[in-house]
Amino acid sequence: MIENQDRQNGLPETDNYSAEDRAFMQMAIELSKENIESGGGPFGAVIVRDGKLISRGANRVVPNNDPTAHAEVMAIRNACRQLGTFDLTGCTVYTSCEPCPMCLSALYWAGIERICYANTKRDAAAIDFDDSFIYDQLRLDYDRRSIRCEHFMRNEALEAFRMWSDKADKVEY
C-alpha cells in the first residue's frame, strides 16, 4: 500500500519550491509515466543546469537488458554525452523517485549538486522496487554478504595503481 506521508526518511515534503522546480519535477514524473507505456519501469529523471534542461532519462532495464539502465544513470549518461564531460558540477537532477543506492552513488560520482525527488524509497518498496536488501548488505562484513566476495592477487593489481599514480598527464576525477 502506498501512503501519502509528509515525512519520510527525515526530509519533510514542503511547498517551498519554485515554479521552475515544479516544472522540471513534472517533466520527470511525466517521463516516468510515458516510460511504462514503452516497456520500461515507472521512473524518470531530468538533469538541469542554470535553468536549462540538459538531459532526460528513463528506466530502461528490461528493454535494454541492462540492470544499470536506471532513470538517473540514463540521464547522467545523456548529460555527459550532451556536455562532452564526465563532470556535472552545477547540475540538479529532478527524479520521479528517491534514487536507489546505485543511482545515488552515480549522482555523487557525476558531481551533481542537488537531488530533488518525488516518490520515496518506501513508495518504491510498496510496488516491489525494494532496495533495502542492498543497504543491509553494505552493512555486513564481506564474509556475511549474499554474494561471495574473494580477495586475491592484490600485489599484481597494485602495478596498475602505481602506473596511474606516476602518470604525469592523468585526468583526475
mmCIF file of all heavy atoms in Angstrom, residues 100-141:
data_model
loop_
_atom_site.group_PDB
_atom_site.id
_atom_site.type_symbol
_atom_site.label_atom_id
_atom_site.label_comp_id
_atom_site.label_asym_id
_atom_site.label_seq_id
_atom_site.Cartn_x
_atom_site.Cartn_y
_atom_site.Cartn_z
ATOM 1 N N CYS A 100 17.979 5.012 -5.884
ATOM 2 C CA CYS A 100 18.430 3.769 -5.264
ATOM 3 C C CYS A 100 19.911 3.926 -4.900
ATOM 4 O O CYS A 100 20.550 4.915 -5.283
ATOM 5 C CB CYS A 100 18.222 2.602 -6.223
ATOM 6 S SG CYS A 100 19.419 2.557 -7.580
ATOM 7 N N PRO A 101 20.499 2.951 -4.205
ATOM 8 C CA PRO A 101 21.922 3.069 -3.835
ATOM 9 C C PRO A 101 22.861 3.248 -5.030
ATOM 10 O O PRO A 101 23.785 4.050 -4.974
ATOM 11 C CB PRO A 101 22.206 1.757 -3.096
ATOM 12 C CG PRO A 101 20.882 1.302 -2.592
ATOM 13 C CD PRO A 101 19.874 1.766 -3.614
ATOM 14 N N MET A 102 22.608 2.521 -6.120
ATOM 15 C CA MET A 102 23.469 2.644 -7.298
ATOM 16 C C MET A 102 23.359 4.040 -7.895
ATOM 17 O O MET A 102 24.373 4.681 -8.198
ATOM 18 C CB MET A 102 23.096 1.605 -8.359
ATOM 19 C CG MET A 102 23.881 1.738 -9.643
ATOM 20 S SD MET A 102 23.341 0.637 -10.962
ATOM 21 C CE MET A 102 21.733 1.304 -11.369
ATOM 22 N N CYS A 103 22.131 4.521 -8.050
ATOM 23 C CA CYS A 103 21.933 5.836 -8.660
ATOM 24 C C CYS A 103 22.458 6.953 -7.772
ATOM 25 O O CYS A 103 23.061 7.907 -8.271
ATOM 26 C CB CYS A 103 20.453 6.045 -8.973
ATOM 27 S SG CYS A 103 19.864 4.951 -10.288
ATOM 28 N N LEU A 104 22.251 6.829 -6.485
ATOM 29 C CA LEU A 104 22.769 7.831 -5.562
ATOM 30 C C LEU A 104 24.290 7.910 -5.687
ATOM 31 O O LEU A 104 24.865 8.999 -5.773
ATOM 32 C CB LEU A 104 22.358 7.504 -4.130
ATOM 33 C CG LEU A 104 22.793 8.507 -3.071
ATOM 34 C CD1 LEU A 104 22.204 9.890 -3.334
ATOM 35 C CD2 LEU A 104 22.394 8.008 -1.688
ATOM 36 N N SER A 105 24.934 6.756 -5.730
ATOM 37 C CA SER A 105 26.391 6.736 -5.901
ATOM 38 C C SER A 105 26.799 7.389 -7.219
ATOM 39 O O SER A 105 27.738 8.190 -7.259
ATOM 40 C CB SER A 105 26.912 5.297 -5.849
ATOM 41 O OG SER A 105 26.665 4.732 -4.592
ATOM 42 N N ALA A 106 26.087 7.057 -8.291
ATOM 43 C CA ALA A 106 26.414 7.632 -9.601
ATOM 44 C C ALA A 106 26.229 9.149 -9.601
ATOM 45 O O ALA A 106 27.028 9.877 -10.203
ATOM 46 C CB ALA A 106 25.540 6.995 -10.683
ATOM 47 N N LEU A 107 25.201 9.629 -8.919
ATOM 48 C CA LEU A 107 24.973 11.075 -8.837
ATOM 49 C C LEU A 107 26.116 11.763 -8.103
ATOM 50 O O LEU A 107 26.567 12.841 -8.503
ATOM 51 C CB LEU A 107 23.626 11.363 -8.174
ATOM 52 C CG LEU A 107 22.406 10.957 -9.003
ATOM 53 C CD1 LEU A 107 21.149 10.928 -8.142
ATOM 54 C CD2 LEU A 107 22.226 11.854 -10.213
ATOM 55 N N TYR A 108 26.595 11.127 -7.043
ATOM 56 C CA TYR A 108 27.764 11.680 -6.341
ATOM 57 C C TYR A 108 28.987 11.677 -7.248
ATOM 58 O O TYR A 108 29.710 12.675 -7.336
ATOM 59 C CB TYR A 108 28.059 10.892 -5.059
ATOM 60 C CG TYR A 108 27.291 11.393 -3.858
ATOM 61 C CD1 TYR A 108 26.124 10.773 -3.447
ATOM 62 C CD2 TYR A 108 27.744 12.493 -3.133
ATOM 63 C CE1 TYR A 108 25.423 11.228 -2.338
ATOM 64 C CE2 TYR A 108 27.052 12.963 -2.024
ATOM 65 C CZ TYR A 108 25.893 12.319 -1.643
ATOM 66 O OH TYR A 108 25.201 12.784 -0.553
ATOM 67 N N TRP A 109 29.250 10.547 -7.922
ATOM 68 C CA TRP A 109 30.422 10.460 -8.795
ATOM 69 C C TRP A 109 30.352 11.487 -9.919
ATOM 70 O O TRP A 109 31.371 12.015 -10.361
ATOM 71 C CB TRP A 109 30.554 9.055 -9.398
ATOM 72 C CG TRP A 109 31.215 8.085 -8.478
ATOM 73 C CD1 TRP A 109 30.634 6.995 -7.882
ATOM 74 C CD2 TRP A 109 32.568 8.092 -8.025
ATOM 75 N NE1 TRP A 109 31.542 6.343 -7.093
ATOM 76 C CE2 TRP A 109 32.745 6.991 -7.162
ATOM 77 C CE3 TRP A 109 33.657 8.931 -8.262
ATOM 78 C CZ2 TRP A 109 33.959 6.705 -6.545
ATOM 79 C CZ3 TRP A 109 34.868 8.640 -7.650
ATOM 80 C CH2 TRP A 109 34.999 7.536 -6.802
ATOM 81 N N ALA A 110 29.143 11.776 -10.405
ATOM 82 C CA ALA A 110 28.985 12.728 -11.507
ATOM 83 C C ALA A 110 29.153 14.177 -11.061
ATOM 84 O O ALA A 110 29.309 15.062 -11.894
ATOM 85 C CB ALA A 110 27.613 12.536 -12.157
ATOM 86 N N GLY A 111 29.085 14.429 -9.758
ATOM 87 C CA GLY A 111 29.240 15.784 -9.256
ATOM 88 C C GLY A 111 27.934 16.571 -9.198
ATOM 89 O O GLY A 111 27.966 17.799 -9.073
ATOM 90 N N ILE A 112 26.817 15.890 -9.301
ATOM 91 C CA ILE A 112 25.511 16.551 -9.196
ATOM 92 C C ILE A 112 25.465 17.309 -7.868
ATOM 93 O O ILE A 112 25.886 16.793 -6.837
ATOM 94 C CB ILE A 112 24.370 15.511 -9.262
ATOM 95 C CG1 ILE A 112 24.317 14.846 -10.640
ATOM 96 C CG2 ILE A 112 23.028 16.124 -8.869
ATOM 97 C CD1 ILE A 112 23.773 15.700 -11.754
ATOM 98 N N GLU A 113 24.954 18.525 -7.890
ATOM 99 C CA GLU A 113 24.950 19.347 -6.678
ATOM 100 C C GLU A 113 23.633 19.353 -5.927
ATOM 101 O O GLU A 113 23.587 19.744 -4.764
ATOM 102 C CB GLU A 113 25.359 20.774 -7.024
ATOM 103 C CG GLU A 113 26.816 20.820 -7.442
ATOM 104 C CD GLU A 113 27.350 22.221 -7.653
ATOM 105 O OE1 GLU A 113 26.615 23.209 -7.448
ATOM 106 O OE2 GLU A 113 28.530 22.316 -8.039
ATOM 107 N N ARG A 114 22.566 18.910 -6.577
ATOM 108 C CA ARG A 114 21.257 18.934 -5.924
ATOM 109 C C ARG A 114 20.412 17.785 -6.454
ATOM 110 O O ARG A 114 20.369 17.563 -7.670
ATOM 111 C CB ARG A 114 20.581 20.268 -6.211
ATOM 112 C CG ARG A 114 19.242 20.470 -5.557
ATOM 113 C CD ARG A 114 18.749 21.899 -5.846
ATOM 114 N NE ARG A 114 17.411 22.100 -5.355
ATOM 115 C CZ ARG A 114 16.460 22.722 -6.025
ATOM 116 N NH1 ARG A 114 16.704 23.229 -7.225
ATOM 117 N NH2 ARG A 114 15.264 22.870 -5.499
ATOM 118 N N ILE A 115 19.772 17.070 -5.546
ATOM 119 C CA ILE A 115 18.882 15.964 -5.905
ATOM 120 C C ILE A 115 17.483 16.321 -5.412
ATOM 121 O O ILE A 115 17.278 16.533 -4.217
ATOM 122 C CB ILE A 115 19.334 14.643 -5.260
ATOM 123 C CG1 ILE A 115 20.745 14.263 -5.734
ATOM 124 C CG2 ILE A 115 18.327 13.531 -5.550
ATOM 125 C CD1 ILE A 115 21.371 13.110 -4.959
ATOM 126 N N CYS A 116 16.535 16.373 -6.330
ATOM 127 C CA CYS A 116 15.128 16.609 -5.995
ATOM 128 C C CYS A 116 14.354 15.369 -6.408
ATOM 129 O O CYS A 116 14.497 14.906 -7.539
ATOM 130 C CB CYS A 116 14.599 17.821 -6.749
ATOM 131 S SG CYS A 116 15.461 19.353 -6.373
ATOM 132 N N TYR A 117 13.544 14.828 -5.505
ATOM 133 C CA TYR A 117 12.800 13.614 -5.827
ATOM 134 C C TYR A 117 11.356 13.727 -5.377
ATOM 135 O O TYR A 117 11.022 14.511 -4.493
ATOM 136 C CB TYR A 117 13.474 12.381 -5.237
ATOM 137 C CG TYR A 117 13.532 12.340 -3.727
ATOM 138 C CD1 TYR A 117 12.524 11.715 -2.996
ATOM 139 C CD2 TYR A 117 14.597 12.899 -3.040
ATOM 140 C CE1 TYR A 117 12.579 11.671 -1.604
ATOM 141 C CE2 TYR A 117 14.664 12.855 -1.662
ATOM 142 C CZ TYR A 117 13.647 12.238 -0.949
ATOM 143 O OH TYR A 117 13.704 12.193 0.414
ATOM 144 N N ALA A 118 10.497 12.929 -5.996
ATOM 145 C CA ALA A 118 9.065 12.935 -5.690
ATOM 146 C C ALA A 118 8.706 11.727 -4.825
ATOM 147 O O ALA A 118 8.580 11.850 -3.617
ATOM 148 C CB ALA A 118 8.246 12.978 -6.980
ATOM 149 N N ASN A 119 8.563 10.550 -5.432
ATOM 150 C CA ASN A 119 8.276 9.347 -4.641
ATOM 151 C C ASN A 119 9.471 9.001 -3.763
ATOM 152 O O ASN A 119 10.609 9.348 -4.078
ATOM 153 C CB ASN A 119 7.973 8.155 -5.559
ATOM 154 C CG ASN A 119 6.647 8.298 -6.268
ATOM 155 O OD1 ASN A 119 5.675 8.769 -5.690
ATOM 156 N ND2 ASN A 119 6.608 7.885 -7.523
ATOM 157 N N THR A 120 9.206 8.291 -2.663
ATOM 158 C CA THR A 120 10.272 7.891 -1.744
ATOM 159 C C THR A 120 10.641 6.432 -1.964
ATOM 160 O O THR A 120 9.937 5.692 -2.652
ATOM 161 C CB THR A 120 9.819 8.060 -0.287
ATOM 162 O OG1 THR A 120 8.780 7.110 -0.025
ATOM 163 C CG2 THR A 120 9.340 9.478 -0.009
ATOM 164 N N LYS A 121 11.743 6.024 -1.320
ATOM 165 C CA LYS A 121 12.139 4.614 -1.417
ATOM 166 C C LYS A 121 11.082 3.717 -0.782
ATOM 167 O O LYS A 121 10.907 2.579 -1.212
ATOM 168 C CB LYS A 121 13.524 4.382 -0.832
ATOM 169 C CG LYS A 121 13.682 4.673 0.633
ATOM 170 C CD LYS A 121 15.144 4.505 1.048
ATOM 171 C CE LYS A 121 15.361 4.907 2.483
ATOM 172 N NZ LYS A 121 16.784 4.857 2.837
ATOM 173 N N ARG A 122 10.358 4.211 0.177
ATOM 174 C CA ARG A 122 9.250 3.424 0.754
ATOM 175 C C ARG A 122 8.116 3.259 -0.254
ATOM 176 O O ARG A 122 7.491 2.213 -0.327
ATOM 177 C CB ARG A 122 8.746 4.070 2.032
ATOM 178 C CG ARG A 122 9.707 3.927 3.189
ATOM 179 C CD ARG A 122 9.087 4.431 4.486
ATOM 180 N NE ARG A 122 10.056 4.385 5.542
ATOM 181 C CZ ARG A 122 10.598 5.452 6.106
ATOM 182 N NH1 ARG A 122 10.249 6.659 5.712
ATOM 183 N NH2 ARG A 122 11.482 5.319 7.075
ATOM 184 N N ASP A 123 7.839 4.311 -1.011
ATOM 185 C CA ASP A 123 6.826 4.218 -2.069
ATOM 186 C C ASP A 123 7.247 3.169 -3.100
ATOM 187 O O ASP A 123 6.434 2.377 -3.572
ATOM 188 C CB ASP A 123 6.632 5.560 -2.766
ATOM 189 C CG ASP A 123 6.091 6.651 -1.862
ATOM 190 O OD1 ASP A 123 5.345 6.339 -0.907
ATOM 191 O OD2 ASP A 123 6.419 7.831 -2.112
ATOM 192 N N ALA A 124 8.528 3.181 -3.460
ATOM 193 C CA ALA A 124 9.043 2.213 -4.432
ATOM 194 C C ALA A 124 8.943 0.797 -3.879
ATOM 195 O O ALA A 124 8.545 -0.131 -4.591
ATOM 196 C CB ALA A 124 10.491 2.545 -4.801
ATOM 197 N N ALA A 125 9.291 0.620 -2.618
ATOM 198 C CA ALA A 125 9.202 -0.706 -1.999
ATOM 199 C C ALA A 125 7.764 -1.217 -2.008
ATOM 200 O O ALA A 125 7.525 -2.418 -2.184
ATOM 201 C CB ALA A 125 9.748 -0.664 -0.577
ATOM 202 N N ALA A 126 6.811 -0.313 -1.873
ATOM 203 C CA ALA A 126 5.400 -0.705 -1.839
ATOM 204 C C ALA A 126 4.923 -1.277 -3.171
ATOM 205 O O ALA A 126 3.918 -1.994 -3.208
ATOM 206 C CB ALA A 126 4.534 0.484 -1.438
ATOM 207 N N ILE A 127 5.649 -0.993 -4.265
ATOM 208 C CA ILE A 127 5.292 -1.576 -5.564
ATOM 209 C C ILE A 127 6.375 -2.558 -6.038
ATOM 210 O O ILE A 127 6.588 -2.768 -7.226
ATOM 211 C CB ILE A 127 4.988 -0.503 -6.631
ATOM 212 C CG1 ILE A 127 6.203 0.391 -6.906
ATOM 213 C CG2 ILE A 127 3.765 0.323 -6.236
ATOM 214 C CD1 ILE A 127 6.106 1.215 -8.175
ATOM 215 N N ASP A 128 7.080 -3.124 -5.079
ATOM 216 C CA ASP A 128 8.073 -4.179 -5.308
ATOM 217 C C ASP A 128 9.377 -3.725 -5.954
ATOM 218 O O ASP A 128 10.064 -4.499 -6.611
ATOM 219 C CB ASP A 128 7.466 -5.349 -6.091
ATOM 220 C CG ASP A 128 6.352 -6.017 -5.317
ATOM 221 O OD1 ASP A 128 6.465 -6.089 -4.077
ATOM 222 O OD2 ASP A 128 5.371 -6.463 -5.945
ATOM 223 N N PHE A 129 9.744 -2.469 -5.756
ATOM 224 C CA PHE A 129 11.072 -1.981 -6.108
ATOM 225 C C PHE A 129 11.768 -1.653 -4.782
ATOM 226 O O PHE A 129 11.935 -0.493 -4.415
ATOM 227 C CB PHE A 129 11.007 -0.735 -7.003
ATOM 228 C CG PHE A 129 10.574 -1.006 -8.408
ATOM 229 C CD1 PHE A 129 9.239 -0.879 -8.775
ATOM 230 C CD2 PHE A 129 11.495 -1.384 -9.369
ATOM 231 C CE1 PHE A 129 8.833 -1.119 -10.073
ATOM 232 C CE2 PHE A 129 11.105 -1.631 -10.676
ATOM 233 C CZ PHE A 129 9.759 -1.504 -11.037
ATOM 234 N N ASP A 130 12.137 -2.700 -4.066
ATOM 235 C CA ASP A 130 12.666 -2.553 -2.710
ATOM 236 C C ASP A 130 14.173 -2.765 -2.721
ATOM 237 O O ASP A 130 14.648 -3.857 -3.022
ATOM 238 C CB ASP A 130 11.998 -3.560 -1.779
ATOM 239 C CG ASP A 130 12.345 -3.338 -0.320
ATOM 240 O OD1 ASP A 130 13.178 -2.464 -0.015
ATOM 241 O OD2 ASP A 130 11.781 -4.057 0.517
ATOM 242 N N ASP A 131 14.920 -1.728 -2.386
ATOM 243 C CA ASP A 131 16.381 -1.790 -2.371
ATOM 244 C C ASP A 131 16.948 -1.960 -0.973
ATOM 245 O O ASP A 131 18.160 -1.880 -0.791
ATOM 246 C CB ASP A 131 16.970 -0.519 -2.986
ATOM 247 C CG ASP A 131 16.607 -0.354 -4.442
ATOM 248 O OD1 ASP A 131 16.629 -1.356 -5.172
ATOM 249 O OD2 ASP A 131 16.305 0.775 -4.853
ATOM 250 N N SER A 132 16.101 -2.197 0.003
ATOM 251 C CA SER A 132 16.584 -2.276 1.385
ATOM 252 C C SER A 132 17.613 -3.390 1.562
ATOM 253 O O SER A 132 18.525 -3.266 2.366
ATOM 254 C CB SER A 132 15.424 -2.448 2.368
ATOM 255 O OG SER A 132 14.718 -3.634 2.120
ATOM 256 N N PHE A 133 17.495 -4.468 0.776
ATOM 257 C CA PHE A 133 18.465 -5.557 0.893
ATOM 258 C C PHE A 133 19.878 -5.090 0.542
ATOM 259 O O PHE A 133 20.854 -5.573 1.101
ATOM 260 C CB PHE A 133 18.066 -6.760 0.035
ATOM 261 C CG PHE A 133 18.289 -6.567 -1.439
ATOM 262 C CD1 PHE A 133 19.430 -7.070 -2.053
ATOM 263 C CD2 PHE A 133 17.364 -5.887 -2.218
ATOM 264 C CE1 PHE A 133 19.644 -6.894 -3.410
ATOM 265 C CE2 PHE A 133 17.560 -5.709 -3.572
ATOM 266 C CZ PHE A 133 18.711 -6.210 -4.170
ATOM 267 N N ILE A 134 19.998 -4.118 -0.359
ATOM 268 C CA ILE A 134 21.325 -3.613 -0.717
ATOM 269 C C ILE A 134 21.908 -2.810 0.451
ATOM 270 O O ILE A 134 23.076 -2.991 0.808
ATOM 271 C CB ILE A 134 21.285 -2.757 -1.994
ATOM 272 C CG1 ILE A 134 20.857 -3.631 -3.182
ATOM 273 C CG2 ILE A 134 22.650 -2.104 -2.257
ATOM 274 C CD1 ILE A 134 20.615 -2.856 -4.460
ATOM 275 N N TYR A 135 21.094 -1.954 1.043
ATOM 276 C CA TYR A 135 21.555 -1.221 2.224
ATOM 277 C C TYR A 135 21.963 -2.200 3.323
ATOM 278 O O TYR A 135 22.985 -2.014 3.986
ATOM 279 C CB TYR A 135 20.462 -0.282 2.752
ATOM 280 C CG TYR A 135 20.142 0.865 1.827
ATOM 281 C CD1 TYR A 135 18.957 0.894 1.106
ATOM 282 C CD2 TYR A 135 21.030 1.935 1.685
ATOM 283 C CE1 TYR A 135 18.661 1.956 0.266
ATOM 284 C CE2 TYR A 135 20.737 2.995 0.848
ATOM 285 C CZ TYR A 135 19.549 3.001 0.139
ATOM 286 O OH TYR A 135 19.258 4.048 -0.691
ATOM 287 N N ASP A 136 21.183 -3.259 3.503
ATOM 288 C CA ASP A 136 21.509 -4.283 4.509
ATOM 289 C C ASP A 136 22.831 -4.965 4.181
ATOM 290 O O ASP A 136 23.658 -5.192 5.067
ATOM 291 C CB ASP A 136 20.396 -5.331 4.597
ATOM 292 C CG ASP A 136 19.090 -4.766 5.136
ATOM 293 O OD1 ASP A 136 19.100 -3.676 5.740
ATOM 294 O OD2 ASP A 136 18.048 -5.422 4.921
ATOM 295 N N GLN A 137 23.060 -5.301 2.917
ATOM 296 C CA GLN A 137 24.290 -5.973 2.502
ATOM 297 C C GLN A 137 25.516 -5.087 2.734
ATOM 298 O O GLN A 137 26.573 -5.569 3.134
ATOM 299 C CB GLN A 137 24.214 -6.379 1.026
ATOM 300 C CG GLN A 137 23.263 -7.511 0.736
ATOM 301 C CD GLN A 137 23.760 -8.821 1.275
ATOM 302 O OE1 GLN A 137 24.863 -9.263 0.961
ATOM 303 N NE2 GLN A 137 22.942 -9.466 2.094
ATOM 304 N N LEU A 138 25.380 -3.795 2.496
ATOM 305 C CA LEU A 138 26.505 -2.879 2.675
ATOM 306 C C LEU A 138 26.982 -2.811 4.120
ATOM 307 O O LEU A 138 28.154 -2.544 4.374
ATOM 308 C CB LEU A 138 26.130 -1.477 2.186
ATOM 309 C CG LEU A 138 25.996 -1.329 0.671
ATOM 310 C CD1 LEU A 138 25.419 0.035 0.322
ATOM 311 C CD2 LEU A 138 27.333 -1.542 -0.019
ATOM 312 N N ARG A 139 26.100 -3.073 5.055
ATOM 313 C CA ARG A 139 26.459 -3.041 6.471
ATOM 314 C C ARG A 139 27.187 -4.311 6.926
ATOM 315 O O ARG A 139 27.788 -4.332 7.988
ATOM 316 C CB ARG A 139 25.200 -2.866 7.322
ATOM 317 C CG ARG A 139 24.644 -1.470 7.302
ATOM 318 C CD ARG A 139 23.511 -1.315 8.316
ATOM 319 N NE ARG A 139 22.218 -1.711 7.795
ATOM 320 C CZ ARG A 139 21.422 -0.933 7.073
ATOM 321 N NH1 ARG A 139 21.791 0.293 6.804
ATOM 322 N NH2 ARG A 139 20.263 -1.357 6.635
ATOM 323 N N LEU A 140 27.126 -5.362 6.124
ATOM 324 C CA LEU A 140 27.699 -6.652 6.513
ATOM 325 C C LEU A 140 29.186 -6.738 6.176
ATOM 326 O O LEU A 140 29.656 -6.122 5.215
ATOM 327 C CB LEU A 140 26.981 -7.797 5.792
ATOM 328 C CG LEU A 140 25.505 -8.002 6.125
ATOM 329 C CD1 LEU A 140 24.926 -9.090 5.220
ATOM 330 C CD2 LEU A 140 25.317 -8.348 7.588
ATOM 331 N N ASP A 141 29.907 -7.541 6.939
ATOM 332 C CA ASP A 141 31.275 -7.884 6.575
ATOM 333 C C ASP A 141 31.224 -8.702 5.283
ATOM 334 O O ASP A 141 30.239 -9.394 5.004
ATOM 335 C CB ASP A 141 31.929 -8.718 7.680
ATOM 336 C CG ASP A 141 32.185 -7.914 8.944
ATOM 337 O OD1 ASP A 141 32.326 -6.680 8.856
ATOM 338 O OD2 ASP A 141 32.238 -8.534 10.019
#
